[in-house]
Amino acid sequence: MSIARALGNAVSGLTATARGTETVAANLANAATPGYARRELAVSAQTAGGNAGGVRVDGVTRAVNASVLSESRLAEAARAEASTRLAFATAIEDQIGIAGNAGSLGAALTDFQTALSSAASRPDDEIRLTQAVDKAQALASRLNAASDQVQAARSAADQAIATDVATLNKSLAEVAHLNRRITVMEADGSDPSSLIDQRQGIISEISKIVPVQEVTRAAGAVALFTTGGAVLLDGTTPTAFGFDAAGQVTAGQTVGSGLALLTQNGIDLTQAQMRLYAGGSLAANFAIRDELAPAVQASLDDLAYDLHERLADPAVDGTLTATSAGLFTDDGVRASLADKTGLAGRISLNTAVIESQGGDVWRLRSGLAAGAEGAVGDATLLVAMSDALNQATAALAGTGFSGKASLADRLGTVESQVSTARVNAQSDAAIRNGQADTIWSRLAADGVDSDAEMQRLLQYEQAYAANARVIQAIQTMMDQILGI
């Protein structure tokens, strides 16, 4: 081997070790950077005329397991959906409360029944009558608060949809922009790894909103589709999504009646088309706004209507008629089945028994529509009210209840439904979290290992020293030759 060739080999080796050292430094510096893929230096033997000619640097590659990355994105979408549903179920359960717990809706009903029984035992005691009125007001307030929580959850979901859509549009535009820049760098022969890292991080964020499948296109570009097959980006122009937030959502608002649909390139998506975007936080928020929360509201409205009807029955209070407002009213008037939606949020105590509003507590004993106060020792009406609450009656037409049950039993059914929904949501979230964490661990295993990088750095140091010694030996030889 000639001196010139030996020198060329050594110089190429030094160049390769310098690039390798830069790669190790970049890996260590970005070990905790989201979306960063470990870099590896690709080298091959360089030949000249069939003889070894040193080392050729082929480039820097990104070490990414594409299948595990795809699984990770789908798992993160499922995690986002499950956590969104769990947050809703937990908030509703906290508001309605668990049976037997202080401050729960069930406790408010029990307190009212206890107060009625206490008043029935001493109908002449106005303090006990006042306590019964207070407990009735507290029960109505608890129903109002539960209904308000449901509508607040719908409002929050509606706003979250708007936020997700805005983020989705912005992120898709960024991916399209990065596609163009990466294509240009690929054409120039430059290294686009940092841009690919950035794009990978953005796509991972998109996948939390809608589950994403990434398809490689020419010149380093990618196309994005949902797992259902909807096109998010394929080319230079991303799909444009639109959504008009309603602001404050009320119980009577439904899709097409105050609540907007998701639009794709200006066209409303039907329920069937929305299945293409199933999974992720976007679908979860639509489910909360349009399905889960309205179902809870319907149960609360059925319960409020049952309570209203039991104590508005003329057979219980003979001073009432079929059109009279009972002890509980729909914002001051008698409730009707046709206007049952949102009743839990409107139900209130009849002002006829509220002294601060011009009423008289004795009407709780003598009758809501009585012309004059009756005998102070007559507990007939109080006993009838208590019995009406405890009586197992057939489910009212137009409600979601079935069979015969007391009011407490029907409330127990609602509480059980809410608790079951929360338990199921928590179980699903635990499963999704476990799956996502497991896949993330597999993905992280392909990431930067600081120990391995330090070992590789030592190897580059040894290679550098070996090539440097070759150059030093050549210099010594040249000095000796020139000194002859």
Side-chain angles (χ1 to χ4, degrees), residues 45-57:
Q46 184 171 263
T47 59
N51 298 314
V55 178
R56 179 175 59 237
V57 176

Side-chain angles (χ1 to χ4, degrees), residues 207-336:
S207 69
K208 296 177 183 179
I209 301 174
V210 291
V212 171
Q213 291 284 12
E214 179 182 329
V215 179
T216 303
R217 296 298 191 219
V222 297
L224 301 178
F225 303 87
T226 68
T227 52
V231 179
L232 297 176
L233 171 65
D234 192 5
T236 58
T237 304
T239 298
F241 295 95
F243 180 78
D244 294 324
Q248 186 65 39
V249 180
T250 60
Q253 289 181 298
T254 57
V255 174
S257 178
L259 297 181
L261 292 166
L262 182 68
T263 65
Q264 180 180 357
N265 295 326
I267 301 174
D268 287 343
L269 296 177
T270 64
Q271 292 296 325
Q273 291 172 322
M274 280 300 298
R275 295 191 185 98
L276 299 176
Y277 300 90
S281 61
L282 183 65
N285 283 314
F286 267 110
I288 290 170
R289 191 196 68 171
D290 301 334
E291 300 171 21
L292 302 180
V296 176
Q297 182 67 52
S299 295
L300 292 172
D301 292 341
D302 290 343
L303 188 66
Y305 188 66
D306 195 339
L307 170 63
H308 172 278
E309 289 297 286
R310 286 174 185 267
L311 300 184
D313 188 351
V316 175
D317 184 349
T319 65
L320 301 177
T321 65
T323 59
S324 300
L327 182 61
F328 292 96
T329 71
D330 182 357
D331 230 359
V333 298
R334 188 182 182 101
S336 66

Side-chain angles (χ1 to χ4, degrees), residues 154-209:
R154 295 185 74 197
S155 298
D158 190 70
Q159 186 57 53
I161 293 170
T163 301
D164 280 348
V165 169
T167 301
L168 185 59
N169 285 330
K170 179 175 178 291
S171 298
L172 289 175
E174 290 175 348
V175 172
H177 175 65
L178 288 170
N179 272 348
R180 291 190 291 271
R181 292 184 60 190
I182 290 169
T183 298
V184 171
M185 293 187 72
E186 289 274 5
D188 290 343
S190 304
D191 180 15
S193 295
S194 60
L195 295 184
I196 296 175
D197 286 341
Q198 185 179 349
R199 184 178 65 186
Q200 178 178 312
I202 295 172
I203 295 174
S204 295
E205 289 303 312
I206 292 175
S207 69
K208 296 177 183 179
I209 301 174

Side-chain angles (χ1 to χ4, degrees), residues 91-103:
I92 295 301
E93 185 186 52
D94 289 344
Q95 183 61 57
I96 293 177
I98 300 175
N101 286 4

Side-chain angles (χ1 to χ4, degrees), residues 115-156:
L116 269 182
S117 298
S118 177
S121 66
R122 285 287 307 275
D124 59 315
D125 189 347
E126 288 200 2
I127 294 178
R128 298 194 183 196
L129 292 176
T130 300
Q131 289 176 338
V133 168
D134 291 342
K135 297 303 181 182
Q137 280 186 301
L139 176 58
S141 295
R142 289 297 302 167
L143 283 167
N144 297 160
S147 178
D148 290 345
Q149 178 63 48
V150 172
Q151 298 314 312
R154 295 185 74 197
S155 298

Side-chain angles (χ1 to χ4, degrees), residues 74 146 161 166 222 249 252 264 266 312 346 377 405 414 434 442 462 466:
L74 296 180
I161 293 170
V222 297
V249 180
Q264 180 180 357
R346 302 188 305 268
V414 174
R442 291 169 55 194
Q462 292 169 359

